[in-house]
Amino acid sequence: MLILFVFTCQVMAVQVDTHVAAALVDQQQTSEAQRQLSALTAVVSKKSGLTVSQLLSEQLVDEDFRPAILRSYFEDIPRHLDANELWYNVVVDEDRLNRLMIDKEIPVWPAQRGDAFVWVVEELEDGNLINAPADSAASYWLRQWFRHKGLPARFYDYQAEDLLAFQPRDVRFLNPDLIDFIQQNHQPDLTLLVFVKHSRNGLSYRVGLQRGDEPIQIKNLKFVNMSSGMSSLADLAQSMMASGQQVFAEEFSENTVSLLINNLANAEQLIDLKKYFDQHALIDRYQIQSFSNGRLSIMANIKVLPETFIKFVDAGQMLQHMPLDIGQSILFSVAE
C-alpha cells in the first residue's frame, strides 16, 4: 500500500517507558509472589491504559505473566510523608509482554503519548490557599501515580512560570478562562486543575479535567489518605488520555506500506521526521528509499492494519490524514 503524507511542524508526543512500573506494597504483609503480581498488574495498566481496578475485576493478569519479569527492585518513599509502604518495581521483557497482552485480548496503548498540564493548589486547615509545594504529599503522590500509570505531565511550577493574572483561586473555582488559556498556549492533551482541601474531617479534592474540545469533567472525592486520593485522580486522567488511543488485538497485523511525505522544507525537518519514525511504537522497521525536492519516500514494516496506523499517525498531529484515496495512495496534509 502506498501512503502519502505531508509534513507539518508540530510538537512530538512524549515517549513513555512502558516496560517498567511499580505497585505500592507493604513489605512485611506481602509475599514476593503477591508483590510481583501487583507490580505486573501495574505494568499492564501502564501499557494498556486500563486502570488497575479494571484489570483486577476482570482477572486479566495471572501467573502466565510472571515469566516476563526481568528484574525487580524496591524504591523508598520520602520519610517526611510517613508512609508504611514501598514502591515495588518490575522491569519486564516488553516483546514477551506484548504477546501475552495480545493473546489475552488486552489492548495496547502505544508508548508515544500526549501530555497533561497539571496545576495543583491546596487549602490548609487554617483556610490558607496555596500552590502545592513540590515536596507536599499531594504533589508527590500525584506525580508518582502519573509516572507509574504512564501519563506524561507538565506540573505547573509557580516559581518558574507565570500564567499571567491567574491565581490559586482560579484553580479552586475551575475558572474556564484559565482552562482556555492553558489549552491555547500550552496545547496539552489533557488540562487538569486540582483543588485539594485539608480539614479536620479528612481530605477531599475538586478537580476539572478537559481534553481537547470535549466538555470539562468536574469530579469531587473525599478520601482517607493522600496516596489513595491521588491514585483515584490518576485513574480518571488515565482513562481519559487512553480513550481512543488503544490498539486492540484484532488490529495487530504485520503489513508493509510505502510512505510518501511531502513538503519537507529543510534538513532539520527531515531529522525530526526520522526521529519520529525511529520512536514510533507501531513501526517495526523502515528504510528510506529516496529524498528529493522536499519529498521523502519510505518503505515501512508496521505492526498493525494500515487504517490503524493512519489513525495513530494522524492523532500524533505531526502528519495529518486527508480522507481522499487516489489509486493506491492515501493522502496526508499539513495540520493547521
Side-chain angles (χ1 to χ4, degrees):
M1 176 177 284
L2 182 65
I3 303 177
L4 179 64
F5 297 89
V6 180
F7 184 78
T8 175
C9 292
Q10 292 283 339
V11 177
M12 294 188 202
V14 179
Q15 186 76 13
V16 176
D17 290 330
T18 56
H19 68 289
V20 57
L24 198 60
V25 301
D26 185 329
Q27 190 175 10
Q28 305 301 319
Q29 301 295 323
T30 56
S31 66
E32 180 67 9
Q34 290 173 322
R35 292 192 289 267
Q36 286 184 346
L37 201 57
S38 294
L40 279 168
T41 303
V43 174
V44 174
S45 172
K46 185 179 188 179
K47 194 167 179 61
S48 68
L50 300 179
T51 65
V52 168
S53 60
Q54 286 177 294
L55 293 169
L56 291 175
S57 66
E58 298 182 33
Q59 299 180 337
L60 294 174
V61 182
D62 54 27
E63 293 295 323
D64 292 344
F65 285 81
R66 200 181 301 278
I69 297 176
L70 297 177
R71 62 188 179 91
S72 60
Y73 59 94
F74 288 102
E75 181 182 348
D76 289 331
I77 294 169
R79 290 183 179 180
H80 73 274
L81 297 179
D82 196 27
N84 296 320
E85 300 97 343
L86 295 170
W87 292 110
Y88 180 81
N89 293 262
V90 292
V91 179
V92 300
D93 180 327
E94 194 151 25
D95 289 338
R96 191 166 191 170
L97 186 64
N98 280 340
R99 292 193 296 271
L100 285 164
M101 291 174 64
I102 293 170
D103 288 345
K104 293 183 179 292
E105 300 186 344
I106 300 172
V108 173
W109 184 12
Q112 286 182 315
R113 302 174 183 178
D115 67 354
F117 188 99
V118 185
W119 189 350
V120 184
V121 303
E122 300 183 70
E123 183 180 280
L124 307 180
E125 286 193 29
D126 62 7
N128 192 24
L129 183 65
I130 63 170
N131 285 297
D135 62 351
S136 74
S139 291
Y140 172 81
W141 286 113
L142 191 56
R143 288 172 187 266
Q144 290 299 311
W145 285 122
F146 264 57
R147 177 166 72 97
H148 291 302
K149 295 176 188 293
L151 312 180
R154 289 169 282 170
F155 282 81
Y156 176 58
D157 182 351
Y158 63 94
Q159 294 178 320
E161 302 176 75
D162 184 9
L163 287 183
L164 300 180
F166 295 109
Q167 300 294 325
R169 63 178 178 273
D170 294 296
V171 178
R172 177 180 182 177
F173 296 110
L174 306 181
N175 184 346
D177 291 337
L178 171 57
I179 296 173
D180 289 344
F181 182 86
I182 293 171
Q183 294 278 76
Q184 293 172 12
N185 289 273
H186 295 272
Q187 299 182 335
D189 184 53
L190 178 73
T191 298
L192 173 58
L193 303 183
V194 184
F195 167 59
V196 177
K197 182 178 178 64
H198 301 253
S199 71
R200 294 178 181 178
N201 297 324
L203 299 163
S204 63
Y205 68 58
R206 182 171 186 261
V207 302
L209 308 94
Q210 185 168 29
R211 186 182 182 198
D213 296 329
E214 298 173 7
I216 184 172
Q217 292 192 29
I218 299 174
K219 302 289 183 180
N220 297 275
L221 182 70
K222 293 183 178 180
F223 47 94
V224 176
N225 61 68
M226 197 67 75
S227 172
S228 63
M230 295 302 101
S231 176
S232 175
L233 176 52
D235 282 348
L236 287 173
Q238 182 184 32
S239 295
M240 290 185 68
M241 294 176 73
S243 177
Q245 301 298 310
Q246 296 149 306
V247 182
F248 295 88
E250 63 273 15
E251 295 180 286
F252 283 96
S253 175
E254 294 183 0
N255 285 276
T256 300
V257 293
S258 177
L259 313 177
L260 290 179
I261 301 95
N262 276 349
N263 255 14
L264 289 171
N266 52 54
E268 184 177 348
Q269 288 185 345
L270 177 60
I271 292 171
D272 287 343
L273 191 59
K274 187 176 184 301
K275 289 179 181 177
Y276 173 77
F277 283 117
D278 285 343
Q279 297 178 349
H280 204 289
L282 301 183
I283 296 177
D284 188 22
R285 57 186 178 275
Y286 72 93
Q287 182 177 2
I288 295 177
Q289 304 288 90
S290 65
F291 177 56
S292 177
N293 297 322
R295 171 177 285 191
L296 179 67
S297 174
I298 292 176
M299 189 67 69
N301 293 337
I302 60 176
K303 304 174 183 178
V304 294
L305 297 171
E307 51 266 36
T308 301
F309 179 71
I310 291 168
K311 180 183 71 173
F312 278 90
V313 171
D314 196 27
Q317 298 184 344
M318 193 170 188
L319 303 167
Q320 184 178 16
H321 179 227
M322 294 289 290
L324 297 172
D325 291 346
I326 302 178
Q328 294 296 314
S329 299
I330 300 177
L331 303 179
F332 281 74
S333 178
V334 176
E336 297 181 357

